[in-house]
Amino acid sequence: MASDSPSSGRRLNVNNINPHVKAAKYAVRGELAVKSEEYRAYLQAGLSDLPFSEVISANIGNPQQLDQKPITFIRQVLSILENPLLLQKKDVLIDHLGYKTDVIERAEKLLKVVGSVGAYSASNGVPAIRQSIAEFLERRDGFPASQADIYLSAGASSGVNTLLHVICQNEKTGILVPIPQYPLYTASLSVLNATCVPYHLDESKNWGTDLAVLKESYERAKADGVDVRAIVIINPGNPTGASLTEEDIRSVIEFARQERLVILADEVYQTNVFIGEFISFKRMLRQMQKEQPGAYDNVELASLHSVSKGMVGECGHRGGYFELVGFDPEVQQEIYKFVSIMLCAPVIGQCLVELMVNPPKAGEPSHELYQKEYNAIFDGLKERATALHKAFEQMEGVECGTPQGSMYLFPTINLPEKAAQAAADEGRTPDEFYCMRLLEATGVCVVPGSGFGQKDGSLHFRTTFLAPGTEWVGSIVKFHKEFMDKYR
Amino acid sequence: MASDSPSSGRRLNVNNINPHVKAAKYAVRGELAVKSEEYRAYLQAGLSDLPFSEVISANIGNPQQLDQKPITFIRQVLSILENPLLLQKKDVLIDHLGYKTDVIERAEKLLKVVGSVGAYSASNGVPAIRQSIAEFLERRDGFPASQADIYLSAGASSGVNTLLHVICQNEKTGILVPIPQYPLYTASLSVLNATCVPYHLDESKNWGTDLAVLKESYERAKADGVDVRAIVIINPGNPTGASLTEEDIRSVIEFARQERLVILADEVYQTNVFIGEFISFKRMLRQMQKEQPGAYDNVELASLHSVSKGMVGECGHRGGYFELVGFDPEVQQEIYKFVSIMLCAPVIGQCLVELMVNPPKAGEPSHELYQKEYNAIFDGLKERATALHKAFEQMEGVECGTPQGSMYLFPTINLPEKAAQAAADEGRTPDEFYCMRLLEATGVCVVPGSGFGQKDGSLHFRTTFLAPGTEWVGSIVKFHKEFMDKYR
């Protein structure tokens, strides 16, 4: 290619930039997503020779791009934070715009501690918002939490980036990452030139954590001279949708204690749980510390949360936080310095975190509507998950466990040999090939399993169940039948 | 210390984390800033045994933390974007809340292209917002600009982080960085383990760029085997406040062409110019390309801008963008992938960028108030800069050029030998020692010159001129006299 040659004159080309950036892969926004956006622009321009009339972006957990409406209480408070002059007309807000008194009070309270949302906050976030998060964690887990251990971030992704930056010492540093995984982890480790140590989740047990497999991955990496020092757990799972049992969580903590591994618990889907209840790593660690005093004191845990998922679904605001448990104070200082370089997380996003962890309480004026909206979103997601799952059950060669949580289904697809051959002819993996044909035929954009990692020989795709209606589900079923007929 | 010892049991300690994070320095939010926040909390708690009654945070360009009010038009539009249900009550907005029709129209226009501000946008930003930025650049520079070359970012800091990540190939990669500089550059290069190649600005020429010095730094680094491939220019200067002349800019572009250096133009203070006019690197590059067809075609330029500075001053919203000129399309694809890993810049911050680059025009309903507020902020900053400069002129041993731009003054301080000795006894540099005593005596927090880099043997501090009133300026004058009397 032209750019390889120094004669192109440019200083930077794809062969002399940062090789670790080049090596990073991020399929969630890769070729398929780009192509789907082209189709969308094409349709918006009024062109109509495509076999579908709408693009369904089921490739990314982006609720408000699809059907989900923002929660009224949250957005009313944010509107006042953006324009505090509205507080000079409280009567208009109440009488003419339907703002409840608790909306106004919350906005006043936040403005008092934030100042202007246009000002930088402390690097680790507004102290009073960290305090509110700590109180939420105490209510959630039944154990103390301290604002000093909480760091606001621009979504959980930015928190993961911070933690991996600090933890990874050099290319020998190994981080245990579940397979399949959200590709933020492998991409960040690529950029950092650290070592990803994959461990496979057990599809036969609803994508649970198989301790024997985990140990084997760990021992193999250690034997190869890798300094394995942390383990990533995504619970509820992405892309798997799995919700871990108490037993699974306990065994991971026990393993981390034995092998001195820092636990990175990605818990952004903690309210997206359809079966059972969410159990936080923090709660379980404190529980185990209580049961066996002294035994788990040295376990280091970082737990991440976000406003992007759950019923809040405010991805575009880039709000999130992480809590550190058991970290060395000097290491925390380095984390503080690292986040300082980027100054602070978006302040309006920080306020949104506060609204998420401290919603209107029973008896407060906004509570009823809040609860109604919240429940409707939850029920809608569960219904859609169930409907999609039902469709998958009817599809030839498709296997998919009962939806447990998060925003995704991750079915296995057993494709005919002829499809694999056609894929190879195109230079694609069979799952990529399948997803590309699906997009071209239906406008539905999903992500091939290879973007998350999967066992050799197995094929999957990840789809969100956020899109409304049943038409798009029907179009997947129809496509699948035709695909199988063609390549059988 | 306890954490050094494996017996502490923790896996992570300050000696085994990422050494490049540990090596990074970021004085703008360092020890002095932390201490100033302690004082602030102390005063807020009603404790009164300090020799001052208020902390003045002159260490960071954070306009809305101090006196600067947000611009009404901007915040009115943002309030609607956060709560689009307000559009169902346009009459109330207009009749009771004083919103003008162009506020409502702009909000409607932005919502149409953004969808919900709670949804992720495209990784490089909302296409229509990139288009609006391109049109602004065409108006500003008189040359074409394309939305495809524009990348929205979470403030300019995040843009710098992206660009340095892609440009730096390995530890031999050298980036020319002006000294003194905003420490984002040295800190980011530390984290990336690339080589900072410092070049000193010429204090005797109002902190202009001295080509001979620049060449010498470049040649020395090259001789040491460093692969110098980019040059950072901050114009108007931070911390220097300098505003580069056309001649300076032309000579930097010519030098970049000769030595095949990518130009990173940090132009976030482009509207904070008191003397002369701002000239963008893009405009000058296009001008030179026009004058000598073919000669400058291979120059690669990235120019950064932000909503945090200027009269907008919306730091907390973390909005910004960069424009690429002359970059290889394959390299741009890698930049797109890199920003995708963090998903997108905050969407409300992206909207704020659009409002900044496309303010109300003459004749539109919000124009008059916008212009009035904008000019009042500009005039206020200029007045404060002048008053502070006047005070510095009267202080013994302090030298400071006429304020030209940005939000800072960066005076030289000539301190007595006894002060240097006292500083050494405390393990501090003399400028750190001076700034610490200033904070303790007056509550005014500034940043020592060593935090930005300065010529050996010279001492400075950086102060913003954002704080209102003259009392704090008076307290600096008084402190300085007492300090000099004590150590003379």
Side-chain angles (χ1 to χ4, degrees):
Chain A
M1 32 196 150
S3 62
D4 288 355
S5 137
S7 68
S8 86
R10 289 190 181 104
R11 185 54 176 266
L12 300 179
N13 64 59
V14 78
N15 294 319
N16 74 2
I17 59 165
N18 187 334
H20 310 303
V21 169
K22 196 180 162 192
K25 289 193 171 59
Y26 192 72
V28 174
R29 292 202 161 192
E31 185 193 359
L32 277 145
V34 169
K35 189 158 190 181
S36 76
E37 291 305 327
E38 286 167 11
Y39 282 149
R40 192 191 308 276
Y42 194 78
L43 290 169
Q44 275 170 354
L47 299 163
S48 58
D49 56 338
L50 293 174
F52 48 87
S53 58
E54 197 188 355
V55 170
I56 302 282
S57 300
N59 57 311
I60 188 159
N62 193 6
Q64 294 188 21
Q65 186 197 28
L66 295 162
D67 193 41
Q68 193 168 311
K69 294 279 169 295
I71 291 177
T72 303
F73 171 78
I74 290 178
R75 293 303 198 89
Q76 286 178 336
V77 175
L78 296 186
S79 69
I80 299 176
L81 299 181
E82 287 292 4
N83 188 14
L85 295 176
L86 293 173
L87 289 170
Q88 294 173 6
K89 302 278 176 92
K90 288 183 200 171
D91 53 331
V92 177
L93 294 179
I94 293 169
D95 300 340
H96 295 281
L97 297 172
Y99 283 40
K100 307 280 186 195
T101 51
D102 55 346
V103 167
I104 292 169
E105 284 157 18
R106 182 67 66 89
E108 284 175 329
K109 203 173 149 188
L110 280 167
L111 283 170
K112 196 169 165 234
V113 297
V114 165
S116 167
V117 295
Y120 294 127
S121 72
S123 307
N124 50 349
V126 176
I129 293 178
R130 286 187 273 122
Q131 182 57 36
S132 185
I133 295 168
E135 288 163 13
F136 154 71
L137 293 170
E138 292 183 355
R139 288 192 301 274
R140 188 193 68 183
D141 296 331
F143 290 98
S146 162
Q147 57 86 16
D149 298 321
I150 289 162
Y151 297 75
L152 275 297
S153 61
S157 300
S158 161
V160 168
N161 181 58
T162 296
L163 291 164
L164 291 180
H165 256 90
V166 172
I167 293 172
C168 292
Q169 185 176 17
N170 54 43
E171 67 280 8
K172 287 272 172 208
T173 301
I175 311 285
L176 282 156
V177 173
I179 297 295
Q181 53 104 33
Y182 178 55
L184 164 66
Y185 294 96
T186 41
S188 302
L189 290 172
S190 279
V191 171
L192 278 163
N193 193 28
T195 302
C196 176
V197 181
Y199 68 94
H200 282 275
L201 300 174
D202 187 351
E203 186 166 10
S204 73
K205 288 184 186 154
N206 251 320
W207 296 109
T209 306
D210 183 327
L211 205 65
V213 171
L214 187 53
K215 277 186 178 157
E216 197 196 316
S217 295
Y218 171 77
E219 294 297 345
R220 200 179 325 119
K222 219 173 129 182
D224 289 347
V226 177
D227 169 29
V228 186
R229 49 167 75 178
I231 176 168
V232 173
I233 304 274
I234 311 176
N235 179 45
N238 177 4
T240 66
S243 183
L244 291 187
T245 61
E246 178 173 332
E247 195 193 338
D248 272 359
I249 296 173
R250 281 183 179 265
S251 66
V252 169
I253 294 174
E254 178 57 37
F255 178 65
R257 183 193 69 78
Q258 281 168 19
E259 307 298 350
R260 300 179 66 235
L261 298 173
V262 179
I263 301 171
L264 300 178
D266 178 338
E267 303 182 319
V268 301
Y269 296 98
Q270 61 188 262
T271 58
N272 297 93
V273 176
F274 306 134
I275 294 180
E277 60 157 351
F278 167 73
I279 302 167
S280 73
F281 269 81
K282 165 89 179 289
R283 177 177 141 200
M284 208 36 63
L285 173 60
R286 291 296 190 222
Q287 187 64 40
M288 290 165 78
Q289 287 174 338
K290 206 169 144 184
E291 289 162 7
Q292 287 193 56
Y296 297 93
D297 286 1
N298 290 327
V299 175
E300 290 148 271
L301 164 68
S303 161
L304 297 118
H305 196 12
S306 161
V307 301
S308 300
K309 310 301 170 185
M311 277 27 86
V312 173
E314 294 276 3
C315 315
H317 277 100
R318 314 308 298 119
Y321 73 86
F322 57 88
E323 183 195 19
L324 300 180
V325 182
F327 271 60
D328 186 313
E330 288 183 318
V331 172
Q332 288 199 218
Q333 276 178 31
E334 294 295 324
I335 292 173
Y336 181 90
K337 182 184 71 186
F338 182 79
V339 298
S340 293
I341 300 172
M342 292 291 128
L343 296 157
C344 66
V347 177
I348 198 86
Q350 294 186 37
C351 294
L352 221 162
V353 172
E354 204 282 329
L355 297 168
M356 173 179 77
V357 299
N358 186 19
K361 294 179 187 59
E364 292 176 355
S366 296
H367 179 262
E368 193 183 324
L369 179 62
Y370 182 95
Q371 210 54 49
K372 194 179 140 195
E373 292 175 338
Y374 188 98
N375 292 343
I377 296 169
F378 184 88
D379 294 342
L381 290 174
K382 194 171 174 181
E383 268 167 36
R384 289 172 198 181
T386 308
L388 190 59
H389 179 249
K390 212 168 153 183
F392 287 155
E393 279 191 316
Q394 296 167 351
M395 281 158 58
E396 178 190 355
V398 173
E399 298 159 39
C400 185
T402 312
Q404 294 188 291
S406 88
M407 296 180 167
Y408 313 103
L409 294 183
F410 193 64
T412 288
I413 42 175
N414 297 295
L415 299 181
E417 180 49 37
K418 249 174 86 184
Q421 191 51 55
D425 293 348
E426 249 184 44
R428 294 187 190 281
T429 59
D431 52 344
E432 265 175 24
F433 178 79
Y434 177 88
C435 295
M436 187 56 87
R437 294 295 93 80
L438 175 67
L439 174 63
E440 289 164 355
T442 64
V444 177
C445 184
V446 299
V447 187
S450 49
F452 307 94
Q454 53 198 354
K455 272 199 179 152
D456 283 347
S458 76
L459 298 171
H460 302 77
F461 65 85
R462 186 189 81 166
T463 174
T464 72
F465 41 77
L466 299 167
T470 53
E471 207 182 318
W472 70 285
V473 178
S475 73
I476 296 177
V477 175
K478 181 164 171 281
F479 158 80
H480 185 76
K481 192 178 176 311
E482 289 167 3
F483 183 93
M484 295 301 275
D485 287 347
K486 179 165 180 187
Y487 293 104
R488 189 179 293 115
Chain B
M1 37 196 146
S3 62
D4 288 354
S5 138
S7 66
S8 88
R10 290 191 180 105
R11 186 54 176 264
L12 301 178
N13 64 60
V14 77
N15 294 319
N16 74 2
I17 58 165
N18 187 334
H20 310 303
V21 169
K22 196 180 162 192
K25 287 190 172 62
Y26 192 71
V28 174
R29 293 201 160 192
E31 185 193 359
L32 277 145
V34 170
K35 190 158 189 181
S36 77
E37 291 305 327
E38 286 167 12
Y39 282 149
R40 194 191 307 277
Y42 195 78
L43 290 169
Q44 275 170 354
L47 299 164
S48 60
D49 57 335
L50 293 173
F52 48 86
S53 58
E54 197 188 355
V55 169
I56 302 281
S57 300
N59 57 310
I60 190 160
N62 193 6
Q64 295 187 22
Q65 186 196 28
L66 295 163
D67 193 38
Q68 193 167 312
K69 294 279 167 297
I71 290 176
T72 304
F73 172 78
I74 290 178
R75 293 302 199 91
Q76 286 178 336
V77 174
L78 297 186
S79 69
I80 299 176
L81 299 181
E82 286 293 2
N83 188 12
L85 296 178
L86 292 174
L87 289 170
Q88 294 173 4
K89 301 281 175 91
K90 287 184 200 170
D91 53 330
V92 176
L93 294 178
I94 293 169
D95 300 341
H96 295 281
L97 297 172
Y99 282 41
K100 308 281 187 196
T101 51
D102 55 346
V103 167
I104 291 169
E105 285 158 16
R106 183 67 67 89
E108 284 175 329
K109 203 173 150 188
L110 281 168
L111 283 169
K112 195 169 167 233
V113 296
V114 165
S116 168
V117 296
Y120 294 127
S121 73
S123 307
N124 51 349
V126 176
I129 293 178
R130 285 187 275 122
Q131 181 57 34
S132 185
I133 296 168
E135 288 163 13
F136 154 73
L137 293 170
E138 292 183 354
R139 288 192 302 273
R140 187 193 70 182
D141 296 331
F143 291 98
S146 162
Q147 56 85 20
D149 298 322
I150 290 162
Y151 297 75
L152 274 296
S153 60
S157 300
S158 160
V160 168
N161 181 58
T162 296
L163 291 164
L164 291 180
H165 256 91
V166 173
I167 293 172
C168 292
Q169 184 175 17
N170 55 42
E171 67 280 6
K172 287 273 174 207
T173 301
I175 311 285
L176 282 154
V177 172
I179 298 296
Q181 54 102 33
Y182 178 55
L184 164 67
Y185 293 95
T186 41
S188 302
L189 290 171
S190 280
V191 170
L192 278 161
N193 194 26
T195 301
C196 176
V197 182
Y199 67 95
H200 282 276
L201 301 173
D202 187 350
E203 186 166 10
S204 73
K205 287 182 186 156
N206 251 319
W207 296 109
T209 306
D210 184 328
L211 204 66
V213 171
L214 187 54
K215 277 186 176 154
E216 200 196 313
S217 296
Y218 171 75
E219 294 297 346
R220 202 180 322 118
K222 220 173 129 181
D224 288 347
V226 176
D227 169 30
V228 186
R229 51 167 74 179
I231 176 170
V232 173
I233 304 276
I234 311 175
N235 179 46
N238 177 3
T240 66
S243 182
L244 290 186
T245 61
E246 177 173 332
E247 196 193 339
D248 272 359
I249 295 173
R250 280 183 180 265
S251 65
V252 169
I253 293 174
E254 178 57 37
F255 178 65
R257 183 192 70 78
Q258 282 168 18
E259 307 298 349
R260 301 180 63 237
L261 298 174
V262 179
I263 302 171
L264 300 178
D266 178 337
E267 302 182 318
V268 301
Y269 295 98
Q270 60 187 262
T271 57
N272 297 93
V273 177
F274 305 134
I275 293 179
E277 59 155 353
F278 167 73
I279 302 166
S280 74
F281 268 81
K282 166 90 179 287
R283 177 177 142 199
M284 206 39 62
L285 173 60
R286 290 296 191 222
Q287 187 64 41
M288 289 165 79
Q289 287 173 337
K290 204 170 147 184
E291 289 163 6
Q292 286 192 55
Y296 297 93
D297 286 0
N298 290 327
V299 175
E300 290 149 272
L301 164 67
S303 160
L304 298 119
H305 196 13
S306 162
V307 301
S308 300
K309 310 301 171 185
M311 277 24 85
V312 173
E314 294 276 4
C315 316
H317 276 100
R318 313 308 298 121
Y321 73 86
F322 57 88
E323 183 194 17
L324 299 180
V325 182
F327 271 60
D328 186 313
E330 288 183 319
V331 173
Q332 288 198 216
Q333 274 178 30
E334 294 295 323
I335 292 173
Y336 181 89
K337 182 184 70 186
F338 183 79
V339 298
S340 292
I341 300 171
M342 292 289 126
L343 297 157
C344 66
V347 176
I348 197 87
Q350 295 187 36
C351 294
L352 221 161
V353 172
E354 204 282 328
L355 297 169
M356 173 179 77
V357 300
N358 186 19
K361 294 180 186 60
E364 291 176 355
S366 296
H367 179 261
E368 193 182 326
L369 179 61
Y370 182 94
Q371 210 54 49
K372 195 179 139 195
E373 291 175 337
Y374 189 98
N375 292 341
I377 295 168
F378 184 88
D379 294 344
L381 290 174
K382 193 170 175 181
E383 268 167 36
R384 288 172 199 180
T386 308
L388 190 59
H389 179 249
K390 213 168 154 183
F392 287 155
E393 278 192 316
Q394 296 165 352
M395 281 156 59
E396 179 190 353
V398 174
E399 298 160 39
C400 185
T402 311
Q404 294 187 292
S406 87
M407 295 181 167
Y408 313 102
L409 294 183
F410 193 64
T412 288
I413 42 174
N414 297 294
L415 299 181
E417 179 49 36
K418 251 175 83 183
Q421 193 50 55
D425 292 347
E426 250 184 45
R428 294 188 190 280
T429 59
D431 52 345
E432 266 174 24
F433 179 78
Y434 177 89
C435 295
M436 189 55 87
R437 294 296 93 81
L438 174 67
L439 174 63
E440 289 164 356
T442 65
V444 177
C445 184
V446 299
V447 187
S450 49
F452 307 94
Q454 52 198 354
K455 271 198 178 152
D456 283 347
S458 76
L459 297 171
H460 303 76
F461 64 85
R462 185 189 83 166
T463 175
T464 72
F465 41 76
L466 298 167
T470 53
E471 207 183 319
W472 69 285
V473 178
S475 73
I476 296 177
V477 174
K478 181 164 170 281
F479 159 80
H480 185 76
K481 190 176 177 313
E482 288 167 4
F483 183 93
M484 295 301 274
D485 287 347
K486 181 166 177 185
Y487 293 104
R488 188 176 294 113

